[in-house]
Amino acid sequence: MKTNCFFYNKSIKKYSITPNGVIMSKSHSNIALIKYWGKHSNKIQIPLNSSISYSLGKVYTVTRLIYQEKKKITYLKVFFSGKEKTSFLPKILKFFYRISFYCSYLRNFNFIIETSNTFPHSCGIASSASSMSALALCIMKIEKKLVSSLKEDFFFKKASFLARLGSGSACRSIYPGLVVWGYHQSIEGSSNLYAIPYPYEVHSIFTKIEDTILIIDDNPKKILSSKGHQLMNNHPYARERFKYANQNMNRLISILKRGDFQEFGELIEHEALTLHAMIMTSRPYFLCMKANTLNVIHMVWDFRKQNNKNIYFTLDAGANVHLLYPIQEKTSIIKWIYSDLFFYCKKIIESFCL
């Protein structure tokens, strides 16, 4: 589908919508296996390589979108966990401006956004992904009220398209399970404009994976991901990174079909470390990992070697660690996590891959 497919069609027969109302949506965070880091400088939120992620259970955003028909005064307010957050307004206003071309009906309303997370925001657990996707779903529910004939497939594709304009990885949070964003020649239906559910065979071992998240640092990141993406434009190793990311996607397609968990784990760890290598070698360079991030990584490597367990880590662009392992091995692994790793983190979140 092309961009013009997502314009709100004024010629379609409309249905009435109450001038004031409340829409609610819930959207999960996600953890990328093949990382997206770098986007086209002359296009809005278009990735330079494809990515794939798991959406995560128990780690989500709930958003209430209160809409009120405009009269004389125009306003937009944002509340996070019950407190007004004016610091969120610039990003939300930019998002509404971008999507207004595709959702012209938004210009008729004022909005109050009330949102809350089950996890810390802005610390590298894809809070912008879950928050922007939840907001995009709310907006599409308004459109569904206006055009009740919207088909489900189009509803979610446009929700993903809109979410991308707020936060790139947000487009993947529209769907559960394994989700692909970015065109890849080996993945039918893949697109730079929106995400799609992973369309190919997945071995049963990858359908029930635990994700235990270690919160090493719950403070907001000093360097926003948007800045990190910009730094890839003149990065000395960017070209090789994008080439290997696409090769790794091909490898992962084969791994997901065969069910080789060790190869899966080694690939996602390599992807995570490559992401941080790009961060550390950009100009200007910076660090997202903390000392305890490295301590946990070494502990995981030692435990895996000594106990022959299928536990592997991955990282977003932050200090916190995601530990992925099959549900069949949960009993012994979760016990070890609490006994040996709790010392290194501020909080442990027991999640799972949807």
Side-chain angles (χ1 to χ4, degrees), residues 67-198:
Y67 63 90
Q68 300 172 337
E69 191 174 36
K70 279 184 183 177
K71 293 182 178 178
K72 293 183 179 180
I73 301 173
T74 298
Y75 61 84
L76 172 65
K77 296 182 179 180
V78 182
F79 292 83
F80 179 73
S81 296
K83 297 180 180 179
E84 188 168 6
K85 281 283 188 178
T86 55
S87 61
F88 288 7
L89 276 175
K91 185 167 186 175
I92 297 295
L93 287 169
K94 180 186 285 188
F95 173 63
F96 270 83
Y97 173 76
R98 285 175 174 175
I99 69 172
S100 65
F101 299 99
Y102 307 99
C103 308
S104 56
Y105 50 85
L106 295 178
R107 297 166 184 160
N108 300 324
F109 299 99
N110 289 315
F111 295 99
I112 298 173
I113 301 167
E114 298 176 350
T115 187
S116 61
N117 295 342
T118 61
F119 59 99
H121 76 88
S122 301
C123 67
I125 316 182
S127 58
S128 63
S130 58
S131 61
M132 286 297 181
S133 55
L135 184 53
L137 287 167
C138 285
I139 290 165
M140 284 307 297
K141 287 179 181 179
I142 293 177
E143 186 162 324
K144 179 69 173 176
K145 285 177 177 287
L146 291 167
V147 186
S148 63
S149 60
L150 283 185
K151 294 182 178 179
E152 184 177 277
D153 179 65
F154 179 82
F155 177 96
F156 288 112
K157 274 186 179 175
K158 184 168 179 178
S160 181
F161 174 85
L162 297 178
R164 172 185 61 84
L165 296 175
S167 170
S169 58
C171 70
R172 297 193 308 253
S173 280
I174 295 295
Y175 300 100
L178 284 164
V179 185
V180 176
W181 172 42
Y183 172 75
H184 192 283
Q185 62 182 6
S186 299
I187 300 179
E188 185 178 354
S190 60
S191 172
N192 288 333
L193 299 178
Y194 50 82
I196 62 167
Y198 180 70

Side-chain angles (χ1 to χ4, degrees), residues 3 20 32 62 117 137-138 156 173 202 208 213 227 241 245 260-261 299 302 318 321 326 333 336 342 352:
T3 300
N20 304 302
V62 175
N117 295 342
L137 287 167
C138 285
F156 288 112
S173 280
V202 177
K208 292 184 179 179
I213 308 168
K227 176 65 175 177
R241 163 59 195 158
D260 188 328
F261 205 92
M299 292 285 287
D302 290 342
V321 183
I333 288 177
W336 171 75
F342 189 77
F352 57 92

Side-chain angles (χ1 to χ4, degrees), residues 262 278 346:
Q262 180 179 341
M278 294 299 101
K346 295 185 177 182

Side-chain angles (χ1 to χ4, degrees), residues 276-290:
H276 282 262
M278 294 299 101
I279 291 168
M280 290 187 284
T281 53
S282 63
R283 290 185 179 274
Y285 49 83
F286 55 102
L287 280 168
C288 290
M289 290 189 282
K290 301 293 184 181

